[in-house]
C-alpha cells in the first residue's frame, strides 16, 4: 500500500520472465502507508499517452486489497483535512473506544467526512472515463478486489462499470482465484488484438511523417508540388469562408492570391488534429507560384470520418468565433473595472479561422472530390500554454498578473454563461501591446458533454480544484465557486 505510485516494470512481455520478476519484487520489503487510487490512475494516464496515437490495445488490471484512502489527505468544503489527526495538543489523542480523535470543521464534520469519501469515488470513475475518452474502445479496464471478505470494494466495482468490456472480480484471499483471474488476461489480450479499435467510434488516420518545426520559420521562395505542397488555384478553389456574426460568410483572398497551398506533412499534432504549414498563393511577375500574405497554420482532423465532410472544420471555426465573443465581453469588463488604465496587455483575443473548400481528384485527406482546409494566421512570438482541459495550469512567473489572467478569463466564461460553459486549454502568444492571441480552445459544456476534449461538468469542476481567485476575479464581480456545483 502506498500514497503515491511508481513504475516497477515497463514494457515487459507477458510470459514466464514476468513471473520471475514478480517473484523477485514480492521478496522485497513491503512499503507501508495508505492505498491511494488516484495517483495510480494518473500514472496510468501518463503511460497510455505514450501509445495514444498508435494502434495499441490496452488491458488494465487494477488490483487492490481494500477501499481507496485518497480521502485521508483531502480537505472538506470548509478547508479542513477532516480525516487527519487532531494535533492541537501536540500529540495524538484517542477516544474511549480506541479511535483517534480527528480534526473537525464543527457540527458538519461527519457529513464532510462522508462527502470526501464520496468525492474520491466520483474522481476515480471520472479518471477512467477520461481514459476512455482518449483511448476509445482500445482500452479495457478490469478491477480485482484481493482481500478479506469484510473489505469494502464498492469503488472497484463502480470503476469497472465505467467502460465497456470491463469487469470486477472479488477474490477474497484465495491465491487459486487470483491465478484464475490472471489467466483470463491471456484470452482478453487475444480478443483485444483481433478486434479493431477506434477513438469514439472513429477511425484514426494513418500516421504521416512529420517535418521539422523549424520549417515554420522558413518562407518558401516558390510553391511547387514536387516540394510536397498540395496546391489548389483558380477552379480548384471553390470558396473561402469565415464564421462571422453567427453565420458562415464568404471572405476574399489576399490581394493577388488565386488559391491556397498546404504542406502534405504535419509539423505538430494534438489529441484531435494535426498542424500543417499553409499559404495563400498567387503568380509573381515571372509566372511562378509564390506565397502571398502572412503564413497560415492549417488544422486537419486525425479521424477519417471527419475528412469526408466539412462538419469538423465548421465546428472548429464556429467554436473559435463564439469564444471570441466571450473574449470581447471579458475585455470590455476589464476596461470598465480599470477605467483610466491602459489594459491592452490584459486583452484576450482568439484568432479567426478560415475554411477553404477545394477540389482534389485524388484527395489524400478527403473523399476524392471536395476537401476542406481549416487555416488560421500563424502566431508570432513565444508560444505558451497557460492552462489545459484537466485542471492543469502554468505556474505564475515574475509577471504573475499576466500568467494568471488566462485563469481569470476561464473563470469569467463560466460566470458569464451562468455555470454552463468554461473555456480552457488556453494557449498562444502574448505581448504588452496586443495582449493575448490564443488558438485551439476547449469549451467544457455541461449541456453537451462529456465527449472528447469537452469534459462537461466534471471538466469544469477540475478547473476550480486548482483555480485560486485573484484580485481581478473580485474586481470583475465573477460568480464564486462554492465546491458543490455538479456534485
Amino acid at each position: 500500500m502506498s500514497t503515491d505510485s511508481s513504475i516497477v516494470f515497463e514494457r515487459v512481455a507477458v510470459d514466464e520472465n514476468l513471473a520471475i520478476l514478480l517473484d523477485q519484487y514480492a521478496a522485497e520489503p513491503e512499503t507501508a502507508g495508505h492505498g491511494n487510487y488516484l495517483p495510480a490512475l494518473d500514472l496510468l494516464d501518463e503511460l497510455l499517452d505514450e501509445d495514444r496515437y498508435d494502434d495499441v490495445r490496452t488491458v488494465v488490471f487494477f488490483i487492490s486489497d481494500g477501499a481507496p484512502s485518497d480521502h485521508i489527505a483531502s480537505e472538506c468544503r470548509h478547508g479542513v483535512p477532516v480525516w487527519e489527526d487532531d494535533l492541537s495538543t501536540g500529540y495524538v489523542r484517542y477516544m474511549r473506544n480506541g479511535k483517534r480523535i480527528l480534526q473537525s470543521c464543527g457540527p458538519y464534520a461527519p457529513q464532510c467526512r462522508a462527502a470526501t469519501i464520496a468525492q474520491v469515488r466520483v474522481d476515480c470513475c471520472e479518471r477512467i472515463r477520461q481514459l476512455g475518452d482518449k483511448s476509445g474502445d482500445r482500452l479495457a479496464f478490469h478491477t480485482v478486489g484481493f482481500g478479506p471478505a469484510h473489505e469494502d470494494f464498492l469503488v472497484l466495482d463502480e470503476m469497472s462499470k465505467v467502460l465497456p468490456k470491463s469487469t470486477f472480480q472479488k477474490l477474497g484471499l484465495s491465491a487459486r482465484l487470483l491465478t484464475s483471474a490472471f489467466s483470463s488476461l491471456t484470452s482478453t489480450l487475444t480478443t483485444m488484438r483481433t478486434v479493431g479499435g477506434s477513438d469514439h467510434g472513429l477511425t484514426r488516420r494513418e500516421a504521416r511523417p512529420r517535418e521539422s518545426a523549424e520549417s515554420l520559420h522558413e518562407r518558401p521562395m516558390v510553391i511547387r508540388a514536387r516540394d510536397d505542397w498540395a496546391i489548389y488555384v483558380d477552379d480548384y478553389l471553390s470558396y473561402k469562408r469565415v464564421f462571422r456574426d453567427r453565420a458562415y460568410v464568404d471572405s476574399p483572398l489576399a490581394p493577388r492570391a488565386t488559391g491556397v497551398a498546404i504542406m502534405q506533412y504535419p509539423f505538430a499534432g494534438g489529441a484531435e488534429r494535426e498542424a500543417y504549414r499553409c499559404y495563400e498563393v498567387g503568380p509573381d511577375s515571372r509566372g511562378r507560384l509564390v506565397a502571398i500574405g502572412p503564413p497560415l497554420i492549417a488544422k486537419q482532423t486525425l479521424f477519417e470520418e471527419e475528412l469526408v465532410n466539412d462538419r469538423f472544420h465548421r465546428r472548429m471555426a464556429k467554436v473559435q468565433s463564439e469564444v471570441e465573443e466571450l473574449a470581447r465581453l471579458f475585455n470590455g469588463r476589464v476596461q470598465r473595472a480599470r477605467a483610466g488604465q491602459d489594459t491592452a496587455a490584459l486583452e484576450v483575443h482568439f484568432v479567426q479561422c478560415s475554411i477553404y473548400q477545394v477540389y482534389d481528384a485524388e484527395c489524400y485527406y478527403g473523399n476524392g472530390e471536395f476537401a476542406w482546409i481549416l487555416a488560421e494566421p500563424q502566431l508570432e512570438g513565444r508560444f505558451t500554454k497557460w492552462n489545459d482541459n484537466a485542471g492543469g495550469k502554468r505556474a505564475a512567473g515574475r509577471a504573475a498578473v499576466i500568467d494568471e489572467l488566462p485563469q481569470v478569463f476561464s473563470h469569467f466564461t463560466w460566470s458569464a454563461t451562468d455555470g454552463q460553459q468554461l473555456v480552457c486549454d488556453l494557449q498562444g502568444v502574448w505581448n504588452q501591446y496586443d495582449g493575448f492571441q490564443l488558438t485551439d480552445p476547449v469549451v467544457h459544456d455541461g449541456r453537451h458533454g462529456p465527449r472528447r476534449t469537452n469534459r462537461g461538468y466534471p471538466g469544469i469542476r477540475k478547473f476550480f480544484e486548482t483555480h485560486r481567485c485573484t484580485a481581478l476575479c473580485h474586481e470583475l464581480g465573477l460568480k464564486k465557486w462554492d465546491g458543490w456545483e455538479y456534485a
Side-chain angles (χ1 to χ4, degrees):
M1 302 289 284
S2 177
T3 55
D4 55 13
S5 296
S6 61
I7 299 173
V8 180
F9 312 120
E10 185 173 0
R11 299 185 185 276
V12 178
V14 183
D15 55 20
E16 62 273 15
N17 291 325
L18 176 59
I20 295 172
L21 291 173
L22 288 172
D23 284 340
Q24 294 173 348
Y25 180 72
E28 296 178 5
E30 296 182 1
T31 56
H34 298 298
N36 291 349
Y37 284 17
L38 295 175
L41 293 172
D42 290 339
L43 183 57
L44 172 62
D45 189 27
E46 294 178 17
L47 289 172
L48 292 179
D49 266 334
E50 298 178 11
D51 297 316
R52 190 149 284 149
Y53 301 114
D54 299 322
D55 189 19
V56 175
R57 277 75 167 171
T58 305
V59 180
V60 175
F61 265 45
F62 193 95
I63 305 174
S64 177
D65 62 357
S69 302
D70 302 73
H71 61 278
I72 299 297
S74 299
E75 294 183 350
C76 72
R77 66 189 181 108
H78 304 104
V80 178
V82 290
W83 285 99
E84 293 188 357
D85 293 329
D86 182 356
L87 301 177
S88 58
T89 60
Y91 56 90
V92 177
R93 295 181 297 155
Y94 295 86
M95 295 184 287
R96 291 183 179 179
N97 60 7
K99 293 184 178 181
R100 296 183 177 211
I101 296 178
L102 304 177
Q103 294 189 38
S104 175
C105 58
Y108 300 103
Q111 295 94 321
C112 285
R113 292 192 183 104
T116 58
I117 293 176
Q119 187 60 51
V120 170
R121 183 169 68 250
V122 171
D123 289 345
C124 287
C125 292
E126 178 56 25
R127 292 287 206 288
I128 298 173
R129 187 172 293 109
Q130 292 169 4
L131 293 174
D133 289 343
K134 296 177 180 179
S135 299
D137 61 7
R138 294 180 290 119
L139 173 66
F141 198 100
H142 301 278
T143 60
V144 177
F146 186 70
H150 66 269
E151 284 292 344
D152 179 9
F153 294 115
L154 175 63
V155 177
L156 284 179
D157 188 18
E158 292 191 4
M159 288 165 61
S160 71
K161 297 175 181 177
V162 175
L163 302 180
K165 298 185 295 186
S166 301
T167 61
F168 165 67
Q169 297 182 67
K170 183 176 180 180
L171 305 180
L173 290 172
S174 170
R176 179 182 59 80
L177 290 178
L178 184 61
T179 301
S180 176
F182 270 99
S183 67
S184 68
L185 174 62
T186 303
S187 60
T188 305
L189 284 172
T190 301
T191 301
M192 293 291 285
R193 287 186 182 120
T194 55
V195 177
S198 62
D199 292 80
H200 325 286
L202 300 178
T203 306
R204 186 170 291 274
R205 296 167 55 197
E206 182 179 350
R208 288 180 172 273
R210 289 192 179 182
E211 64 169 351
S212 169
E214 296 299 321
S215 61
L216 288 176
H217 308 296
E218 303 170 0
R219 187 179 180 92
M221 296 294 294
V222 180
I223 302 292
R224 298 175 294 202
R226 72 186 188 193
D227 294 328
D228 297 319
W229 289 95
I231 302 169
Y232 308 96
V233 296
D234 300 326
D235 292 341
Y236 287 87
L237 174 64
S238 299
Y239 62 69
K240 173 187 176 183
R241 289 177 180 167
V242 297
F243 190 83
R244 183 185 300 132
D245 298 326
R246 302 190 178 185
Y248 290 96
V249 297
D250 289 332
S251 179
L253 297 173
R256 299 188 298 110
T258 59
V260 64
I262 177 175
M263 174 55 64
Q264 298 191 47
Y265 301 106
F267 66 84
E272 291 189 277
R273 47 196 175 272
E274 292 176 318
Y276 299 74
R277 287 191 293 156
C278 184
Y279 287 94
E280 291 188 357
V281 295
D284 66 2
S285 59
R286 298 167 56 182
R288 300 176 306 175
L289 200 63
V290 297
I292 303 292
L296 307 174
I297 301 297
K299 309 290 179 69
Q300 292 294 344
T301 176
L302 291 173
F303 304 106
E304 295 285 355
E305 290 82 355
E306 292 178 328
L307 291 171
V308 297
N309 60 64
D310 66 346
R311 286 195 295 271
F312 167 82
H313 308 80
R314 290 167 65 92
R315 175 172 62 87
M316 294 299 302
K318 181 180 179 182
V319 166
Q320 208 135 310
S321 178
E322 291 177 342
V323 169
E324 173 63 16
E325 291 185 19
L326 286 171
R328 284 197 290 267
L329 292 175
F330 175 79
N331 296 337
R333 190 175 296 190
V334 171
Q335 291 170 5
R336 290 190 295 274
R338 298 194 172 179
Q341 301 180 38
D342 183 0
T343 59
L346 304 181
E347 290 194 0
V348 173
H349 299 282
F350 289 85
V351 295
Q352 186 177 60
C353 297
S354 300
I355 299 175
Y356 301 84
Q357 179 175 285
V358 300
Y359 178 80
D360 190 335
E362 299 179 0
C363 203
Y364 68 91
Y365 59 88
N367 61 1
E369 295 182 359
F370 288 113
W372 295 268
I373 299 172
L374 176 75
E376 62 187 30
Q378 179 179 319
L379 296 175
E380 299 294 335
R382 180 182 178 184
F383 196 89
T384 303
K385 190 180 184 78
W386 282 279
N387 65 23
D388 60 25
N389 68 332
K393 62 180 181 178
R394 173 183 168 87
R398 293 182 179 179
V401 173
I402 300 303
D403 283 333
E404 292 172 351
L405 190 121
Q407 289 288 101
V408 177
F409 174 72
S410 292
H411 186 174
F412 168 84
T413 61
W414 173 79
S415 180
T417 59
D418 197 25
Q420 298 300 307
Q421 296 178 315
L422 185 141
V423 180
C424 57
D425 209 20
L426 301 180
Q427 54 199 311
V429 300
W430 173 87
N431 66 61
Q432 61 181 324
Y433 306 106
D434 305 310
F436 294 84
Q437 300 290 324
L438 305 177
T439 183
D440 284 347
V442 166
V443 180
H444 288 322
D445 191 328
R447 302 164 299 177
H448 305 294
R451 60 185 186 189
R452 296 172 97 174
T453 52
N454 167 19
R455 297 181 176 183
Y457 290 135
I460 295 174
R461 186 172 63 246
K462 293 301 294 183
F463 169 83
F464 282 105
E465 285 179 4
T466 59
H467 175 60
R468 298 295 178 266
C469 282
T470 68
L472 186 55
C473 292
H474 300 297
E475 290 178 50
L476 300 181
L478 303 186
K479 175 184 174 183
K480 293 184 179 179
W481 168 270
D482 65 15
W484 288 97
E485 280 88 350
Y486 325 130

